[in-house]
Amino acid sequence: MCGIIGYIGKEGAKDIILNALLKLEYRGYDSSGISIINEGEIITKKAVGRIKNLKAITEDLPESNMGISHTRWATHGKVTEANAHPHTGCNNQISLVHNGIIENYTQLRKILKEKGHIFKSETDTEVITHLIEEMIKEGNDIETAFIKTLKLLEGAYAIAMINRAEPNKIYAARKSSPLVLGIKEGEYMLASDTLPILPIMSDIIYIHDGDILTITKDSYKIQNLDQVPVNREITKIKADLDEITKGDFPHYMLKEIHEQPKTITNAFSGRIDEENSTAKFGGLNIDEIDLKKIDRVILTGCGTSWHACQYGKYLFEDIARIPSIAEYASEFRYRKPALTENTLLISLSQSGETADTIAAIEEAKKFNVRTIGIVNTIGSTIARMVDGGIYLHAGTEIGVASTKTFNSHLVILYLLSVYLARLRNTITKEKANEMLLELKEIPKKVEEILENETQINNISEKYFNVKNALYLGRGYNFPVALEGALKLKEISYIHAEGYPAAEMKHGPIALIDKDMPTIAIAPMDRLFKKVQSNIEEVQSRGGKVITITTEDIEDHSFDEIIKIPKTSEYLMPILATIPTQLLAYQIAVKRGCDIDKPRNLAKSVTVE
Ligand code: F6R
């Protein structure tokens, strides 16, 4: 959701900055811009479209050793050059980039207009620039003007700003939007996450809410809004450069789908406690006595992560016998839920930066609710704010559509349910051992499904031109139906809905005709016969059915069949998800869609 870069150090900053910006393109990719300082003037270039368009118009930009840049995901104002960042105010004295939303921008804009400021864009961000100019006009030095302005802003921000009179300085600040500082001798880089920094620097500081930064080529200073210096820990991170290249795959999404045997293994590695027939987690930080007292679990997240929450809800009730619900973080944060000390909030997020999920945790904390975060991004806001953290260890996910991290979330939830169940004596040692053993078989079975890609490709040939699709699943496979539909709609732009199979006859059945295929998740388990009846209901109305089922299926009358290996009912969603991911991918490729950067989306949704 917008990416920002600030760099100061070597000559040739433009290339360093634009290469870094490319690594943030997944956060927003409708337009981009850059400002540098040359001979006491700020030079700004902006372009609509991908960063390559910006690169093309900055070839003749003069040399500089510093600059700021931005890749945008529009929130306020259309996708135009004028609305792209950086914003430079009335007199080009300062230039700034912003990620977040300024909620009181309408009032501020009105006041500033009355004072004579001329706005060039429709963005909320531009008020920040004019406010700083106004503060300077009132006699404040630039740093004081910056801080006084921040105090007037409501909403969320990560900001980087340059001042034409100080070609050796970048100012920055953070409130509720991510910001990271990379450190190397004689060089500093500010970025919305570590991805652009790690190929060149390994010392990182995670900037906290309320921090204000000033960086020069040789030093950095962090203070709070009261101008009291603060110390932040430097973390050493080693980059895994393989993670951020596509390798031999045409798209990150396909690469990430294929990484799943490894990422699933990473999710359970070191977390199986064979001696005690349970699971173990290093960073849970919640006393076992307190965990035993938990009488309600709320799982929360957004999008794909919320689908994983749905799976967790089924498991925690089934295995650990704890009343559980899955809630959209965006709803939870405003609906005034009745929470007690014995409620456990489990928040799921790939990025660890999703604004609604963060707000849901903040809301729960007000009631002394214990919080667990299951996140992928190391050091992210959610990872740092929860009582107990469990990392997915899935490696960087670059494809905007989540794939591997969905299944990693399922693995962690599975282990967590075993852990809680053993703690509360709701399953025997034998049952736990059986469950843990079965989990270890999953990576091999995922490999088998991935080998079946050609068959899924053949199916996609027949269906890539449809306009609508319905995904059906029951029990543990209902979340798979939801996730399968989301994957198809977001990357292929085919309208798709996920439904609990039996619900179909309460409405969606009206849509069934020969042009709307149904993808049914129907493994040979206790609910197979039920789903089979639903499939027949579709077929008798002329609808085509693609069925994902297990290899032990015998007679069938499905139009298309994708067979997957058998596993337990609890683990089936992990296997069943893989064909839905491949199908969505293959269909989107045939429709000529931009797989890794679908229109209107962004990888990390840091605005509410
Ligand atoms: C879908 C997708 C989104 C995210 C959602 C939450 O493929 O990626 O629906 O799942 O924006 O993001 P995280 O998991 O980063 O909190």
Side-chain angles (χ1 to χ4, degrees), residues 304 307 468-472 477-499 519 521 548 577 580-581 583-584:
T304 292
H307 295 155
N468 301 288
L470 186 63
Y471 283 70
L472 300 179
N477 294 310
F478 167 47
V480 180
L482 292 173
E483 176 57 10
L486 179 64
K487 236 37 359 150
L488 185 71
K489 81 178 100 174
E490 67 186 336
I491 63 162
S492 74
Y493 318 139
I494 293 173
H495 170 244
E497 294 302 330
Y499 256 83
I519 295 89
I521 327 295
I548 298 169
T577 292
T580 65
Q581 295 172 340
L583 189 65

Side-chain angles (χ1 to χ4, degrees), residues 88-90 94 96 102 104-105 107-109 111-113 115 117 119 124-138 140-142 144-154 159 161:
T88 49
C90 291
I94 56 167
L96 67 79
I102 305 306
N104 56 339
Y105 87 103
Q107 301 94 294
L108 294 172
R109 195 176 163 108
I111 298 168
L112 287 159
K113 274 185 165 176
K115 288 186 189 260
H117 287 261
F119 281 78
D124 53 337
T125 302
E126 202 184 341
V127 296
I128 312 174
T129 326
H130 292 280
L131 265 178
I132 296 169
E133 278 180 353
E134 191 58 31
M135 298 287 180
I136 295 171
K137 236 194 267 168
E138 285 170 12
N140 295 292
D141 62 48
I142 181 97
T144 315
F146 186 52
I147 295 172
K148 280 191 172 171
T149 297
L150 296 175
K151 288 183 178 169
L152 294 176
L153 303 178
E154 287 169 19
I159 299 170
M161 177 187 81

Side-chain angles (χ1 to χ4, degrees), residues 75-243:
T75 58
H76 295 67
K78 290 186 207 67
V79 178
T80 61
E81 211 178 293
N83 288 335
H85 301 211
H87 291 286
T88 49
C90 291
N91 55 20
N92 208 31
Q93 180 183 349
I94 56 167
S95 175
L96 67 79
V97 289
H98 164 227
N99 166 211
I101 285 184
I102 305 306
E103 288 169 355
N104 56 339
Y105 87 103
T106 323
Q107 301 94 294
L108 294 172
R109 195 176 163 108
K110 188 166 171 275
I111 298 168
L112 287 159
K113 274 185 165 176
E114 281 163 10
K115 288 186 189 260
H117 287 261
I118 312 281
F119 281 78
K120 296 180 219 149
S121 79
E122 302 153 305
T123 63
D124 53 337
T125 302
E126 202 184 341
V127 296
I128 312 174
T129 326
H130 292 280
L131 265 178
I132 296 169
E133 278 180 353
E134 191 58 31
M135 298 287 180
I136 295 171
K137 236 194 267 168
E138 285 170 12
N140 295 292
D141 62 48
I142 181 97
E143 187 169 316
T144 315
F146 186 52
I147 295 172
K148 280 191 172 171
T149 297
L150 296 175
K151 288 183 178 169
L152 294 176
L153 303 178
E154 287 169 19
Y157 55 75
I159 299 170
M161 177 187 81
I162 55 174
N163 166 26
R164 73 176 168 215
E166 295 177 291
N168 188 27
K169 209 177 255 180
I170 300 180
Y171 296 88
R174 171 196 160 135
K175 183 185 162 207
S176 304
S177 291
L179 190 62
V180 184
L181 175 68
I183 304 172
K184 196 175 169 187
E185 212 189 321
E187 275 180 281
Y188 289 95
M189 183 178 280
L190 282 161
S192 300
D193 69 31
T194 54
L195 270 185
I197 298 177
L198 291 181
I200 50 174
M201 302 168 178
S202 54
D203 285 353
I204 301 292
I205 292 181
Y206 292 102
I207 304 305
H208 292 213
D209 276 355
D211 286 357
I212 297 158
L213 266 141
T214 324
I215 54 174
T216 68
K217 199 166 90 56
D218 308 303
S219 65
Y220 71 92
K221 177 176 92 179
I222 309 180
Q223 55 184 325
N224 65 20
L225 282 168
D226 297 321
Q227 291 182 273
V228 178
V230 286
N231 257 328
R232 296 288 175 222
E233 196 190 336
I234 300 179
T235 311
K236 273 213 174 309
I237 301 186
K238 211 169 140 291
D240 180 349
L241 296 180
D242 272 0
E243 272 181 10

Side-chain angles (χ1 to χ4, degrees), residues 249-255 257-258 403 453 456-457 460 471 487-488 491-492 578-593 595-596:
F249 290 93
H251 300 104
Y252 282 108
M253 181 179 178
L254 190 62
K255 175 181 177 240
I257 292 172
H258 277 265
T403 51
E453 207 177 329
I456 296 170
N457 192 22
S460 72
Y471 283 70
K487 236 37 359 150
L488 185 71
I491 63 162
S492 74
I578 311 277
T580 65
Q581 295 172 340
L582 287 170
L583 189 65
Y585 171 79
Q586 298 293 4
I587 286 178
V589 168
K590 289 184 186 62
R591 291 167 70 91
C593 298
I595 305 290
D596 289 327

Side-chain angles (χ1 to χ4, degrees), residues 288-308:
E288 287 197 353
I289 300 171
D290 291 330
L291 278 175
K292 278 188 193 162
K293 286 192 215 147
I294 295 299
D295 57 15
R296 181 173 175 223
V297 171
I298 301 175
L299 294 119
T300 191
C302 305
T304 292
S305 291
W306 180 76
H307 295 155

Side-chain angles (χ1 to χ4, degrees), residues 48-65:
V48 167
R50 296 293 160 82
I51 293 168
K52 64 175 179 353
N53 300 355
L54 180 65
K55 277 195 157 183
I57 59 158
T58 50
E59 270 170 14
D60 56 351
L61 212 59
E63 273 305 323
S64 170
N65 75 331

Side-chain angles (χ1 to χ4, degrees), residues 314-325:
Y314 281 92
L315 260 182
F316 289 152
E317 295 225 347
D318 190 344
I319 308 293
R321 311 303 301 155
I322 314 175
S324 305
I325 56 164

Side-chain angles (χ1 to χ4, degrees), residues 302-305 348-352 354 400-402 486-487 490 605:
C302 305
T304 292
S305 291
L348 270 58
S349 176
Q350 186 289 124
S351 61
T354 303
V400 163
S402 284
L486 179 64
K487 236 37 359 150
E490 67 186 336
V605 184

